[in-house]
Amino acid sequence: MNPPDDPVFNEPWEAQAFAMTVSLNGKGLFTWTEWAEALGAEIAVQGTRSYYECWLAALEKIVEAKQMMTGKERLARIDAWDRAARATPHGKPIELSKANSIS
Amino acid sequence: MPHDHDHDHDHDEGSALSPIALRVKALESLLTEKGYIDPEALDAIVETYETKIGPRNGAHVVARAWSDPAYKAWLLKDATAAIASLGYTGRQGEHMVAVENTPETHNLVVCTLCSCYPWTVLGLPPVWYKAPPYRSRAVIDPRGVLAEFGVTLPETTAISVWDSTAEIRYLVLPMRPQGTEGWSEEKLARIVTRDSMIGTGLPRAAA
């Protein structure tokens, strides 16, 4: 039960979601108690989601609750990244065009 | 990480990111533009947790406590300060409490709410620590949980279960194994496993 190379993060997005939370907390945008409540609420209704999927859902909710962005902005940005990705040939970096990034 | 795109390639027309990767990119790009986060700072955080912070920090603390009675007394009285004195400070280690295993009492740590864990001394929690079976059963059936980890305690040993919170993190100070008299701190630290500091394991036996 003590595997030496249990990976810290299984996928890059998990690491990014983790680091965003630590960084925002470090800047005082929310307390760790507030974060634990948000994460705990997601985990309480975890269902088939992975731990880091709960983490990401909690982060989406707390940045809106703390008015760092609106839900509308966030959903528009997801859509913009989706369109940018689909328009990008393989092997090229995916970037948002100027028009896309203004939501 | 060389590639931004996930595995769902669309071979006819460009790339496709997984829904979850899109959500993460959306958050990251908006938070960056608004000045709440700095992508380079995120990279530094990830690197720290992937390479610098882990159970060897806690093993150092335990080995010191086994070797130095004054340090052990300090650790049990003010774990936050005693741990910080070895250079392990910061996130999720702000208020630490060390609980000592004895022949009478074995300590087991859980976070029933989510995954609160002493990052500064143990790194990030293992998968099972975050999973519902451990979180729910550690409190109601600690002896059964320990048995699944291969730990069988005498019936006369009581089990204390400590529920971590956002404010208080626990570190178990395991019992020093027989046969380790005269060992250096470095040698002692090598037998201190992560699980022995959570309470789901014991130090490796002195061979």
Side-chain angles (χ1 to χ4, degrees), chain B residues 36-65:
Chain B
Y36 292 116
I37 57 173
D38 166 5
E40 285 182 18
L42 297 191
D43 288 347
I45 290 168
V46 171
E47 199 205 337
T48 296
Y49 283 93
E50 284 188 327
T51 62
K52 298 200 179 92
I53 296 182
R56 66 185 178 279
N57 296 4
H60 180 197
V61 171
V62 169
R64 172 67 57 86

Side-chain angles (χ1 to χ4, degrees), chain A residues 14-86:
Chain A
E14 296 181 350
Q16 292 304 105
F18 170 81
M20 281 192 272
T21 303
V22 169
S23 186
L24 293 171
N25 167 248
K27 290 190 172 185
L29 289 152
F30 47 77
T31 67
W32 203 260
T33 302
E34 289 172 322
W35 170 253
E37 281 166 10
L39 178 59
E42 290 300 325
I43 286 176
V45 293
Q46 182 162 9
T48 59
R49 295 182 298 171
S50 74
Y51 174 76
Y52 274 107
E53 283 175 69
C54 293
W55 184 293
L56 175 60
L59 181 58
E60 288 172 340
K61 284 184 184 158
I62 207 166
V63 298
E64 286 176 26
K66 294 292 178 180
Q67 302 184 333
M68 286 177 250
M69 68 182 66
T70 65
K72 196 176 163 196
E73 270 179 308
R74 195 173 61 72
L75 294 174
R77 181 58 60 93
I78 290 171
D79 187 52
W81 275 114
D82 191 28
R83 281 182 281 120
R86 288 177 195 285

